[in-house]
Amino acid sequence: MDYLAVIVTAAIGFGIGALWYGVLSKPWVAASGVPTDANGAPRGGANPVTFAGAYLCILLVAGMMRHVFAMGGINTMGLGIMGGLGIGLFFIAPWITLNVLFAQRPKVLALIDGGYATIACAVMGGVLTLF
């Protein structure tokens, strides 16, 4: 396995999350029920442990995607994007939706979080094929 490819791909997935949630922060905070401070920002939001944990989770996804792609012979950008899209849309997003449904959170939370998983995985799948 190409470790550098996985590390770079995870960093790109993390960056997509920063952009995604930067744009959708207000509806996400409202839907998630996360406690906020007087300015409307999540309390303790810039916690480095949270960000490190998030990167580790994305690193695990990128590593498993690389493994699945190698086993499946996915080696072109088009196939990588389609493979990543499938992983995000048909594996991760439904599981997120399941959690949102049972937590009785607003459905928009599933759209925001599932949308991030789908788009990030599609881009990550394309990136993985570049190495």
Side-chain angles (χ1 to χ4, degrees):
M1 179 183 340
D2 187 354
Y3 295 107
L4 180 61
V6 172
I7 292 167
V8 168
T9 299
I12 290 170
F14 188 86
I16 292 168
L19 292 171
W20 185 265
Y21 289 103
V23 170
L24 298 171
S25 63
K26 289 186 191 233
W28 183 87
V29 167
S32 68
V34 170
T36 58
D37 61 20
N39 297 324
R43 278 193 232 145
N47 184 338
V49 174
T50 301
F51 288 110
Y55 179 77
L56 179 60
C57 290
I58 298 168
L59 185 67
L60 292 171
V61 171
M64 190 60 185
M65 284 177 69
R66 180 72 177 166
H67 176 69
V68 168
F69 285 11
M71 289 178 53
I74 296 173
N75 56 12
T76 67
M77 184 174 279
L79 290 176
I81 291 168
M82 289 304 294
L85 182 70
I87 288 168
L89 190 59
F90 298 109
F91 288 124
I92 301 174
W95 211 284
I96 289 169
T97 301
L98 175 73
N99 290 335
V100 167
L101 291 171
F102 276 98
Q104 299 179 10
R105 295 288 182 207
K107 309 305 180 274
V108 70
L109 185 60
L111 292 173
I112 294 169
D113 291 343
Y116 162 60
T118 300
I119 290 170
C121 283
V123 172
M124 289 166 59
V127 171
L128 280 171
T129 63
L130 298 176
F131 289 86

